Amino acid sequence: MANAKSPVETLTEEEAAAELAFLAAEIARHDELYHGQDAPEISDADYDALKRRNEEIEARFPALVRDDSPSRRVGSAPLATFAPITHARPMLSLDNTFSDEDVRDFVASVYRFLGRLPDDSIAFTAEPKIDGLSMSIRYENGRLVTAATRGDGTTGENVTANVLTIAEIPNRLPAGVPAVVEVRGEVYMAKSDFLALNEKMAAEGRQTYVNPRNTAAGSLRQLDAAVTASRKLRFFAYAWGEMSAMPADTQYGMIEVLKSWGFPVNPMTQRLFRVDDIINHYREIGLARPDLDYDIDGVVYKVDELALQERLGFRSRSPRWATAHKFPAEQAFTTVERIDIQVGRTGALTPVARLTPVTVGGVVVTNATLHNADYIEGIGNSGERIREEDHDIRVGDTVIVQRAGDVIPQVLDVLMEKRPAEAHRYEFPKTCPVCGSHAVRERHEKTGRLDSVTRCTGGFVCRAQAVEHLKHFVSRNAFDIEGLGAKQVDFFFEAEDPSLTIRTAPDIFTLEKRQASSLTKLENIDGFGKVSVRKLYDAINARRSIALNRFIYALGIRHVGETNAKLLARAYGTYEAFATAMKEAEGLSGEAWNDLNNIEGIGEVVARAIVEFYKEPRNLDVLGRLLEEVTPEAAEAVVVSSSPVAGKTVVFTGSLEKMTRDEAKAMAERLGAKVAGSVSKKTDLVVAGPGAGSKLDKAKEFDVEVIDEDGWFELIKG
Ligand code: IVH
């Protein structure tokens, strides 16, 4: 193939054809990295250069334009589209632990929650944490009916056709299995298969893959199941979702059952009783790790007895009965070539080290976050030293970088003996590099300490903030508008023609109308086409009705991430109720303010941020226009409707003897009740143990029903 740098005029037809083939594959790969995996390998400028080169060659050799040419592809985002599947039971993630001490804490917390004494014996299972993709596979009457990726935990993608091609996953289960069986586990690619695939790719002069995990993900998210079939994917079963009947009553027993049904299970799974044995097994798995034919990134511990798992229940995203003990991160040396500043959605100026590319644990690292000005200096978030004095990070420094799992790589330390004589202290900008507004470090109201974050004060004036806001708004866990990725948002934001610009969220929903009466047609613009434009409008229109928690999350209110958005949606039920309450809470006092603060999990900083958001006229203006286009659905009542305490506000007081306080709270929440810390007019029920004091008096004052622990168990029995 001709050197990619040779001028288009000098290319022979043969060279041009070869290069077009290369560019089609290469651009498709970058599209997938960017849109499908959120892991771009090249800058936007380099990506554009590839597209331009492709177009220039096509302009000279129109006969060579390929069917799969990037210039023909719609919206530049050839996203595989899979139908969504809502999981019968959510697919949760795991909490991480990093040290032996963390593990001891985890085990102790299980004992504490269950009110067990240390010399009681609780069994745990310990098994490798496979670095692949989790999958939920549903069988009805013994036949595989659907397979879904984890997605956001609630809804995943229907990849049934692809999973049917994985030889290690049975399509039928033996006779006598329960009518509904959902098997969960990890799809992965063996290291040996990955290396063989890469050798083949290299031999064919094609781009090689980065690591087995991403390759497995890419292989699975192929619309053409034949491609999945050609890649050898494998599977380990380790969990389950909905089951119409439980064939065992322990984790270990369930794994044995899954094995007997024909699923591969990990041979290193063990049942252990003592923390020391658990930690020992972790070390053994760590020692075996390099010789395994698959990547693992830690060891998962689970409480063995399912009845205890049930009692322990879940926090918002992860079970209390399990944790992942991660292996230490991998490290490497490299040099800092440059320090860039990125401006985020909330105006935070984040310094990023551009590094000489280096491989850390099998992945090429070129960037590392430097977090903030203090971090560069060697000072941590609480003002503590995190590196020796003088070990500030400078351009030209040789540094140790660390990568742990999916976390953004970090710069840990500087090798002082390698510091070039001319390297000088990094000066953190005093103005926003995008809009030029002052950049300030706020002072914490209470502690008086300087905030670690330097923020652009430009607000809506700052293009970077506005663009990041939009990207957040359309992102996967917010409005999730297909065909409107980061690249397209940049394009619409910069577009000058009024029928094309999108500067605020409501503009997204007026685009089609504005386009209808305009002569500048989107479909004639590079990177778009008739089909992709239609698809884009359809994707936008499909979101005119949206779950309340997604809507709230999409607003990009500071401190309101997915978890808090869900809490708010659940607490207020409808958008109107939420918005009205936020306006009523304006003075940071009164009933609405108290209610907001009483939501379990919403602290004062978050409450304040939400109320402040609703005070800003500009936000209200955008919201007003947005609500003309979009309807947030009322939150689904997550309450167990049959539960007699569903929707009630309960206060536990006094000393409880039959359950720990944590357990009581978790139990009530599982049954759909809200648990409050203090008694008010809104309290429905007080559960009082011996020694209850002022809360009991309050309950009498407000005429709230009071029961004891036995009464509680009686009540929830129904
Ligand atoms: S148990 C409710 N066991 O790790 C807990 N997860 O960080 C269900 N994973 O999403 C998960 N190996 O994709 C479990 N042996 C194992 C695992 C494992 C890998 C993945 C899984 C999960 C993620 C959580």
Side-chain angles (χ1 to χ4, degrees):
M1 190 178 64
N3 178 338
K5 295 265 161 50
S6 46
V8 174
E9 302 77 56
T10 67
L11 292 179
T12 65
E13 187 157 339
E14 204 179 24
E15 287 169 339
E19 202 182 331
L20 287 177
F22 164 77
L23 286 166
E26 183 66 359
I27 292 171
R29 192 175 71 86
H30 288 300
D31 281 336
E32 163 62 16
L33 284 169
Y34 190 93
H35 296 284
Q37 300 174 31
D38 279 342
E41 271 176 23
I42 55 172
S43 68
D44 289 3
D46 289 347
Y47 176 88
D48 292 340
L50 290 177
K51 292 261 287 201
R52 237 184 352 261
R53 174 88 182 169
N54 187 69
E55 277 155 29
E56 284 167 11
I57 301 174
E58 285 182 350
R60 199 176 144 222
F61 298 98
L64 295 183
V65 174
R66 302 167 58 92
D67 281 341
D68 65 347
S69 163
S71 61
R72 290 193 173 185
R73 223 168 9 232
V74 285
S76 82
L79 260 189
T81 44
F82 293 97
I85 282 195
T86 300
H87 300 301
R89 295 172 94 201
M91 290 181 79
L92 295 138
S93 56
L94 293 168
D95 251 12
N96 291 327
T97 40
F98 295 97
S99 64
D100 292 0
E101 204 187 321
D102 286 352
V103 176
R104 290 180 198 284
D105 284 350
F106 162 71
V107 171
S109 74
V110 168
Y111 275 74
R112 210 178 320 116
F113 189 95
L114 295 170
R116 294 286 191 95
L117 296 171
D119 49 3
D120 268 2
S121 135
I122 298 180
F124 288 85
T125 58
E127 64 197 278
K129 182 170 191 296
I130 317 298
D131 196 8
L133 297 112
S134 46
M135 188 64 55
S136 188
I137 309 161
R138 186 177 173 95
Y139 296 83
E140 288 175 7
N141 302 317
R143 269 171 194 278
L144 192 160
V145 287
T146 50
T149 60
R150 178 167 182 275
D152 63 3
T154 309
T155 310
E157 290 173 317
N158 185 340
V159 289
T160 311
N162 309 55
V163 165
L164 281 169
T165 72
I166 302 178
E168 288 194 346
I169 298 179
N171 294 349
R172 307 200 61 158
L173 300 184
V177 301
V180 176
V181 166
E182 271 181 21
V183 175
R184 292 180 176 176
E186 208 82 353
V187 169
Y188 67 96
M189 182 177 260
K191 289 184 199 167
S192 53
D193 291 332
F194 169 76
L195 292 175
L197 175 65
N198 258 358
E199 261 171 40
K200 186 165 150 264
M201 297 296 279
E204 290 170 9
R206 291 154 71 190
Q207 193 77 34
T208 53
Y209 293 97
V210 180
N211 60 36
R213 206 199 91 89
N214 289 1
T215 315
S219 308
L220 202 68
R221 298 184 75 250
Q222 292 284 343
L223 278 183
D224 181 0
V227 179
T228 316
S230 73
R231 309 271 171 79
K232 278 204 202 94
L233 295 182
R234 296 172 190 268
F235 185 71
F236 276 126
Y238 53 67
W240 55 93
E242 186 182 345
M243 300 286 287
S244 57
M246 286 300 282
D249 55 11
T250 60
Q251 179 76 33
Y252 199 82
M254 281 298 289
I255 300 298
E256 285 179 326
V257 169
L258 292 176
K259 186 173 176 192
S260 76
W261 287 350
F263 292 94
V265 300
N266 196 283
M268 280 181 292
T269 309
Q270 284 202 6
R271 174 162 30 198
L272 301 159
F273 293 85
R274 297 174 40 234
V275 188
D276 291 334
D277 295 339
I278 289 173
I279 291 173
N280 230 349
H281 192 45
Y282 167 84
R283 301 227 193 294
E284 274 166 19
I285 293 179
L287 288 176
R289 186 182 184 197
D291 301 323
L292 298 176
D293 196 20
Y294 46 87
D295 284 327
I296 61 175
D297 55 355
V299 178
V300 182
Y301 310 135
K302 302 172 186 169
V303 170
D304 190 39
E305 216 179 295
L306 302 187
L308 296 184
Q309 288 191 0
E310 182 89 6
R311 277 180 64 190
L312 284 153
F314 299 87
R315 284 178 229 94
S316 64
R317 263 175 290 213
S318 55
R320 276 193 202 86
W321 45 264
T323 190
H325 190 180
K326 301 298 273 290
F327 291 126
E330 290 164 283
Q331 305 182 346
F333 295 113
T334 187
T335 50
V336 178
E337 295 184 346
R338 214 169 68 225
I339 296 179
D340 286 344
I341 298 282
Q342 284 175 350
V343 185
R345 174 164 62 86
T346 59
L349 265 45
T350 306
V352 178
R354 305 295 178 195
L355 307 165
T356 309
V358 61
T359 309
V360 192
V363 171
V364 179
V365 169
T366 49
N367 303 316
T369 177
L370 298 178
H371 301 285
N372 53 52
D374 280 351
Y375 190 88
I376 295 180
E377 289 295 320
I379 295 164
N381 273 340
S382 320
E384 78 283 12
R385 278 231 147 263
I386 49 172
R387 272 174 259 122
E388 274 177 56
E389 222 151 313
D390 300 337
H391 286 216
D392 60 301
I393 297 164
R394 304 182 180 190
V395 172
D397 270 342
T398 298
V399 293
I400 305 173
V401 289
Q402 162 169 305
R403 204 189 122 253
D406 288 341
V407 190
I408 313 167
Q410 313 264 339
V411 171
L412 290 189
D413 205 356
V414 178
L415 264 76
M416 296 306 282
E417 62 276 19
K418 295 226 166 167
R419 172 167 283 176
E422 70 280 6
H424 52 263
R425 228 167 236 284
Y426 178 72
E427 216 175 297
F428 207 87
K430 300 198 167 41
T431 54
C432 171
V434 175
C435 71
S437 302
H438 273 301
V440 297
R441 292 179 64 168
E442 287 157 16
R443 210 167 268 287
H444 193 283
E445 269 177 45
K446 287 190 182 133
T447 62
R449 264 219 333 261
L450 266 189
D451 196 6
S452 54
V453 180
T454 307
R455 249 174 242 286
C456 158
T457 54
F460 296 108
V461 173
C462 181
R463 295 174 89 81
Q465 289 190 49
V467 170
E468 291 308 314
H469 244 288
L470 278 174
K471 288 181 185 166
H472 169 78
F473 186 89
V474 300
S475 66
R476 191 182 306 195
N477 297 326
F479 267 69
D480 189 22
I481 298 179
E482 210 166 297
L484 202 49
K487 268 207 183 84
Q488 290 80 5
V489 168
D490 284 330
F491 164 79
F492 285 115
F493 192 90
E494 297 301 336
E496 296 291 341
D497 190 290
S499 77
L500 279 175
T501 38
I502 295 179
R503 297 272 156 81
T504 60
D507 300 344
I508 297 170
F509 295 92
T510 57
L511 178 68
E512 186 176 2
K513 226 185 319 166
R514 284 182 284 138
Q515 272 288 295
S517 55
S518 164
L519 293 176
T520 320
K521 291 289 185 206
L522 185 53
E523 63 194 55
N524 298 329
I525 289 170
D526 236 22
F528 295 91
K530 232 189 163 88
V531 182
S532 73
V533 171
R534 188 62 251 157
K535 275 196 180 161
L536 175 63
Y537 293 154
D538 288 346
I540 292 173
N541 291 331
R543 294 291 183 267
R544 287 186 185 270
S545 162
I546 186 157
L548 179 57
N549 60 306
R550 278 178 180 263
F551 184 86
I552 296 176
Y553 171 68
L555 297 180
I557 303 171
R558 228 162 121 187
H559 306 303
V560 179
E562 273 180 275
T563 306
N564 285 342
K566 278 189 186 153
L567 292 176
L568 293 164
R570 213 176 290 172
Y572 291 97
T574 64
Y575 180 73
E576 292 67 33
F578 170 61
T580 312
M582 293 313 102
K583 275 172 221 154
E584 284 172 9
E586 196 178 74
L588 305 183
S589 66
E591 203 168 327
W593 172 249
N594 291 343
D595 286 348
L596 176 59
N597 281 277
N598 274 337
I599 298 173
E600 201 50 47
I602 300 285
E604 190 178 334
V605 175
V606 183
R608 207 179 263 268
I610 307 167
V611 173
E612 291 298 334
F613 180 90
Y614 273 86
K615 281 209 267 189
E616 167 66 46
R618 163 80 199 220
N619 290 338
L620 298 179
D621 167 58
V622 172
L623 267 168
R625 287 190 288 124
L626 184 60
L627 288 166
E628 281 171 23
E629 306 291 337
V630 171
T631 315
E633 296 152 18
E636 236 177 80
V638 280
V639 292
V640 191
S641 50
S642 59
S643 147
V645 293
K648 302 224 161 119
T649 302
V650 183
V651 173
F652 291 94
T653 181
S655 56
L656 302 177
E657 290 163 338
K658 306 223 157 86
M659 50 188 167
T660 63
R661 176 136 337 208
D662 284 343
E663 191 177 358
K665 186 166 160 239
M667 194 186 301
E669 282 170 356
R670 199 158 55 227
L671 293 166
K674 272 195 258 179
V675 178
S678 59
V679 178
S680 75
K681 272 189 291 190
K682 297 221 165 149
T683 311
D684 296 301
L685 183 65
V686 170
V687 182
S694 64
K695 288 183 193 166
L696 202 51
D697 300 339
K698 268 251 168 82
K700 287 191 187 122
E701 183 188 328
F702 294 130
D703 209 13
V704 175
E705 185 186 355
V706 179
I707 57 175
D708 63 7
E709 241 177 314
D710 286 335
W712 167 257
F713 282 111
E714 201 53 42
L715 174 66
I716 61 172
K717 254 199 322 212

